[in-house]
Amino acid sequence: MKTYFLAFIAIFTLLTSCSEDNDTQTIIPTPTPAGTGFSWRENDPEGAINTAPTATFSTQYKTLIVKDAAGATLFEVNLSGTAAATYAIGTDNAVSYLGTNPMFVADSGEVIVTANADDKISGTFKAFRSGTGVTRIYATFTDIPVVP
């Protein structure tokens, strides 16, 4: 009888400790503290301020990635360097805004990195393109986390 009881406990434990394999990973964006983060204005430097909940700067790719609350990329800013400097938008530096239709790809402007220290980057950019819809973007990024 004792053997049946131990076998029952072993089988019960084995069956109840199994769980479903679920490869889906949910990433919850971490909002940036007040006074930090990424904000921008479309077409008018004095227009309505838009903000994004998350942004990171990759030193490996020299890229600022800005995402919306759902985790979709809003902005991608590719630079030729990571140091505090002014980067002219053109061949070596690019700004894309994927949050508008048609997609905004700047053909001129500048990105000014004012600080890149203590694993945080800050600066501004003015980006311009010809066409319809959004043709000018004015953005500020403050204390954006720097990742490898």
Side-chain angles (χ1 to χ4, degrees):
M1 183 71 163
K2 189 175 184 182
T3 306
Y4 289 119
F5 181 71
L6 291 175
F8 174 75
I9 294 294
I11 291 171
F12 179 78
T13 303
L14 180 65
L15 291 176
T16 58
S17 65
C18 293
S19 65
E20 288 185 35
D21 288 337
N22 188 348
D23 292 336
T24 303
Q25 181 180 7
T26 302
I27 299 172
I28 300 171
T30 305
T32 53
T36 65
F38 185 93
S39 62
W40 77 98
R41 298 172 194 245
E42 299 173 3
N43 291 329
D44 181 357
E46 302 301 319
I49 297 174
N50 302 289
T51 59
T54 61
T56 57
F57 182 81
S58 167
T59 55
Q60 178 181 1
Y61 299 106
K62 302 173 191 161
T63 301
L64 174 66
I65 298 289
V66 180
K67 297 191 174 195
D68 66 14
T73 299
L74 285 173
F75 284 91
E76 184 172 325
V77 180
N78 299 295
L79 301 175
S80 57
T82 62
T86 299
Y87 299 90
I89 295 171
T91 306
D92 295 330
N93 307 293
V95 173
S96 299
Y97 175 33
L98 289 73
T100 189
N101 188 9
M103 182 176 83
F104 177 100
V105 178
D107 50 32
S108 65
E110 64 184 10
V111 179
I112 302 172
V113 175
T114 55
N116 186 355
D118 300 321
D119 295 325
K120 295 182 181 180
I121 193 167
S122 298
T124 62
F125 70 77
K126 296 182 282 188
F128 310 104
R129 74 171 180 107
S130 57
T132 60
V134 177
T135 58
R136 295 173 288 156
I137 294 179
Y138 306 90
T140 301
F141 50 99
T142 307
D143 290 340
I144 301 300
V146 174
V147 298

